[in-house]
Amino acid sequence: ARIEPLPLREFPKEFRTAIRLNPRHAPAHVFYGLFSVAAGEVSEGVARAMRARELDPLSAVTNIGVAWACMFAHRYDAAIDALRQTLDLEPMFRQAQGALCGAYMFAGQNETAARLLAEYGYVWGRPLPGADILPKVLARDGEQAFIRTLLELMEAAGGEATFPAIALAASHARAGHIEEALTRLERIVDERNGQSVFLFVEPALEVLRDEPRFQALLARLSGLRSAKA
């Protein structure tokens, strides 16, 4: 039997129920915070994520949740600080390593991002063979070549069989492959992929904001923003 996903508009109620049952349950606070940011309640969402860290400051998962809330809110310096704290707690936390590289890219610090990608050899928690060439590509050929090469390495490492679908779509957008990015995002929404809630706030998708097809996707997901977080 097919299991129907919970409607987006029901998420806030479920999070509030979980927190009412256990007010000190940090994961409920951090995921409620992420949902709130995605729903457009940016300040409230970041505050909810920060509350989770107050409740469980030694949890790497909680700290990376705070980082993503800050990243979605375009508070990149705060995201970098949170990810550094996450890696202090768990130095080999691969998802945090990749997220830190992304935060540096969004903050315009591509040299640091490329250096760390080469050092870690991971992105989105998965191995990225060939990442050691990225600093050289950036230095020799510039930012767009660096972004395109990163995408090529991700595709060569398995594409959507290895990395989250939204990560590949966002990478295509940053590389200037607008039609490909939109086609992938439409599939994500058609398949009711849970990652679709972050189309509103994923920084790499800013380049698509004025595209009619992207605006149509956001309209399809508008139930998310109509729900009071």
Side-chain angles (χ1 to χ4, degrees), residues 59-123:
S59 166
V61 173
T62 297
N63 277 277
I64 197 174
V66 170
W68 276 111
C70 292
M71 197 124 58
F72 292 146
H74 297 194
R75 300 178 186 180
Y76 302 126
D77 288 343
I80 289 168
D81 287 345
L83 288 162
R84 288 292 186 189
Q85 291 181 47
T86 304
L87 290 168
D88 285 343
L89 294 167
E90 188 62 58
M92 299 304 291
F93 190 1
R94 299 302 189 183
Q95 286 84 351
Q97 291 175 345
L100 181 61
C101 297
Y104 276 118
M105 289 177 68
F106 294 133
Q109 300 181 47
N110 286 317
E111 290 185 5
T112 301
R115 176 177 57 79
L116 290 176
L117 282 165
E119 176 184 332
Y120 296 144
Y122 275 74
V123 67

Side-chain angles (χ1 to χ4, degrees), residues 161-174:
T162 303
F163 302 102
I166 195 170
L168 270 299
S171 296
H172 277 285
R174 296 198 76 198

Side-chain angles (χ1 to χ4, degrees), residues 140-165:
R140 184 186 64 223
D141 301 322
E143 178 181 350
Q144 277 304 108
F146 162 59
I147 291 170
R148 288 194 299 270
T149 302
L150 175 57
L151 171 60
E152 290 167 4
L153 292 175
M154 292 172 68
E155 293 284 15
E160 286 189 11
T162 303
F163 302 102

Side-chain angles (χ1 to χ4, degrees), residues 15 37 46 86-87 127 133 141 178 193-194:
F15 284 127
V37 173
V46 172
T86 304
L87 290 168
I133 70 169
D141 301 322
I178 303 303
N193 189 310

